[in-house]
Amino acid sequence: MKRVVIANFVPIWPAYNGGHRRVFFLARELSHTFDVEIVAPDWHGLSRSTDFSPTLRETRVETEPILRRHVDRLSEIGPLLGDLGYGLHWQKAQRYQAVLTRLVEEADAVVTTHPYSIYALEAARGARDIPLVFDSQNFELEQKRELINGHTDVLKALYDLEAHALRISDKAFACSEADRKNYIREYGVAPDHIALIENGVDARSTPVLSPSDRSKLRTELGLNGLVTIFGGSYHVPNFSAVDAILEAAREAPDVTFLMLGTICDYQPLAEAELGNLRRLGRVSEKAKWMAFALADVGLNPMTQGSGTNIKMHDYAASALAIASSEFGARGVPLAAGIDYHQVEPGDLGPWLLEQAGRGDLQALREMGAKAREQILRHSDWSAIGKLYVEEFQALLA
């Protein structure tokens, strides 16, 4: 069985966010055909391996304090720049680089799941003639441009890093058509160099409660009336979405707003004093899916970002009705007015008031069921993984 080594700049298990889940589930699908090892530096001083199956494992390697200091200094420029810190100072991770090099010596193909591992992976590959794949999750130059505002040297370093990942790779994947077009425009790469591997969800394993169980649990938890949910990480594009949700929460005091994930650390949300707001914070996967199953409407008032919003897939897999901006639904196989409600951020409060005033949630549930059918058909990781495997089979033929 041929081996694929996947390099990421952070461990991906437990999969706390959409990016982690993309890496894990695509690796899982790949492991049905190949032997797959994910390898990442561990920022908490741990070295260990986890076997998910005989053909899928993750290895984490303790990082040196000097690397963490470099990363922390770059993070002072703006939040969420630690990944670029690793991309620029990867040589300081000597223990990790030694393990990565050893694993790559036995690999038939290698993957960087963001551009940030490209230099380390290129060094580990050395003169070996094996395919190198760049699996992109976002158009990073655009995603981080505002964070790096005023630091032209840092912005150039990110440009050079992302450009290098695209140009040196034997194949690149984008998770949305918009990102694919941006790569072609910004970096001048050939269109046939970048394939589209969209984001997905483990829809077939997503729990959907029976109406009676759902009603009983909601009563026990004191969830009455219309219940909405927003799940997201502490990620700049989510900030403006939360601002819109907080405004909607003030406009619709009888609607319950559940907030899920590390986005609860966002200061305006953490400090908001609203009786209809419940901050759940970071929770286990099981608790996350249970929260989705108990809600009526998934909120996605996004106005910025790259790639696609994986929360749309999560909501639909849970058979939630979805209120999303047009931008938030980009690249997702759901039709406005049929599979989700298109609601722009400024209209969210009035729309929720209208839904709550009707007092009949059946229409919302019917739309949620339609969305789930679409996601099962087009966006389950088993369907997306088939395309992913085919790309690797072509590379290794």
Side-chain angles (χ1 to χ4, degrees):
M1 180 179 281
K2 291 186 176 180
R3 295 196 73 210
V4 178
V5 171
I6 299 173
N8 197 37
F9 63 93
V10 292
I12 57 89
W13 191 261
Y16 283 122
N17 60 44
H20 289 176
R21 288 193 289 275
R22 176 181 172 91
V23 177
F24 176 78
F25 284 110
L26 285 178
R28 187 192 69 178
E29 295 304 312
L30 201 62
S31 71
H32 298 324
T33 305
F34 304 100
D35 185 82
V36 180
E37 182 142 7
I38 304 164
V39 57
D42 189 288
W43 301 91
H44 301 292
L46 300 174
S47 292
R48 61 178 178 177
S49 292
T50 302
D51 292 327
F52 303 107
S53 77
T55 56
L56 177 61
R57 71 198 65 83
E58 180 186 62
T59 294
R60 356 174 129 187
V61 184
E62 178 186 0
T63 55
E64 290 83 349
I66 188 172
L67 175 62
R68 294 196 288 272
R69 287 196 293 272
H70 279 291
V71 168
D72 289 344
R73 278 198 291 270
L74 193 58
S75 296
E76 291 172 1
I77 293 175
L80 308 175
L81 286 179
D83 44 15
L84 180 58
Y86 168 70
L88 299 179
H89 300 287
W90 62 275
Q91 290 170 308
K92 305 297 183 184
Q94 295 181 11
R95 285 189 289 265
Y96 169 75
Q97 193 63 28
V99 173
L100 179 64
T101 300
R102 174 175 58 79
L103 293 173
V104 169
E105 286 174 354
E106 302 172 354
D108 298 287
V110 292
V111 183
T112 177
T113 61
H114 295 76
Y116 303 111
S117 298
I118 189 62
Y119 297 142
L121 199 54
E122 183 183 11
R125 184 178 66 162
R128 293 199 66 211
D129 186 20
I130 57 174
L132 190 157
V133 174
F134 169 33
D135 185 3
S136 166
Q137 295 192 6
N138 296 292
F139 177 27
E140 291 292 314
L141 183 68
E142 184 63 30
Q143 188 90 312
K144 288 185 165 54
R145 194 185 300 273
E146 289 186 19
L147 298 177
I148 306 174
N149 186 33
H151 298 269
T152 56
D153 55 333
V154 178
L155 190 65
K156 183 180 184 304
L158 176 57
Y159 178 96
D160 291 344
L161 186 147
E162 193 164 45
H164 190 69
L166 284 163
R167 291 167 183 165
I168 197 174
S169 58
D170 297 279
K171 191 72 178 183
F173 302 135
C175 66
S176 73
E177 185 59 31
D179 280 7
R180 183 176 175 275
K181 289 178 179 178
N182 282 330
Y183 278 150
I184 294 167
R185 171 186 53 80
E186 186 71 41
Y187 296 112
V189 295
D192 62 357
H193 181 66
I194 308 175
L196 184 62
I197 300 292
E198 297 176 324
N199 285 322
V201 63
D202 192 21
R204 299 185 190 282
S205 300
T206 301
V208 178
L209 296 176
S210 68
S212 60
D213 287 344
R214 185 171 178 275
S215 178
K216 180 181 177 182
L217 279 171
R218 280 172 58 123
T219 299
E220 290 175 357
L221 294 170
L223 296 174
N224 303 309
L226 186 67
V227 179
T228 69
I229 193 165
F230 178 86
S233 60
Y234 188 87
H235 190 39
V236 173
N238 285 329
F239 296 170
S240 59
V242 169
D243 292 339
I245 291 170
L246 289 174
E247 182 59 30
R250 296 183 185 98
E251 295 173 345
D254 293 332
V255 175
T256 298
F257 293 80
L258 304 180
M259 307 299 287
L260 188 70
T262 54
I263 189 61
C264 291
D265 295 332
Y266 175 51
Q267 188 172 358
L269 175 56
E271 296 178 353
E273 296 182 0
L274 296 168
N276 59 340
L277 186 69
R278 297 196 185 185
R279 291 172 284 260
L280 305 182
R282 175 184 279 188
V283 299
S284 67
E285 280 288 290
K286 182 178 180 180
K288 181 193 84 168
W289 291 116
M290 183 59 67
F292 284 169
L294 292 171
D296 299 304
V297 181
L299 304 178
N300 191 43
M302 304 295 291
T303 58
Q304 57 183 299
S306 182
T308 59
N309 291 130
I310 294 179
K311 59 177 70 68
M312 285 286 287
H313 297 87
D314 290 349
Y315 296 158
S318 297
L320 276 168
I322 303 169
S324 176
S325 62
E326 181 180 13
F327 180 82
R330 69 200 183 283
V332 177
L334 299 175
I338 299 174
D339 305 310
Y340 76 95
H341 294 275
Q342 185 172 310
V343 184
E344 297 308 316
D347 300 325
L348 187 58
W351 184 83
L352 289 171
L353 280 173
E354 179 186 351
Q355 301 305 311
R358 289 177 179 174
D360 180 10
L361 302 178
Q362 187 58 35
L364 291 174
R365 293 185 182 122
E366 289 175 358
M367 182 170 276
K370 290 179 182 177
R372 178 171 165 81
E373 289 176 6
Q374 284 294 98
I375 289 297
L376 280 168
R377 189 176 300 116
H378 299 292
S379 295
D380 187 77
W381 284 120
S382 60
I384 295 170
K386 182 179 179 182
L387 302 175
Y388 196 65
V389 170
E390 287 172 356
E391 290 285 352
F392 279 85
Q393 288 174 323
L395 281 170
L396 293 171

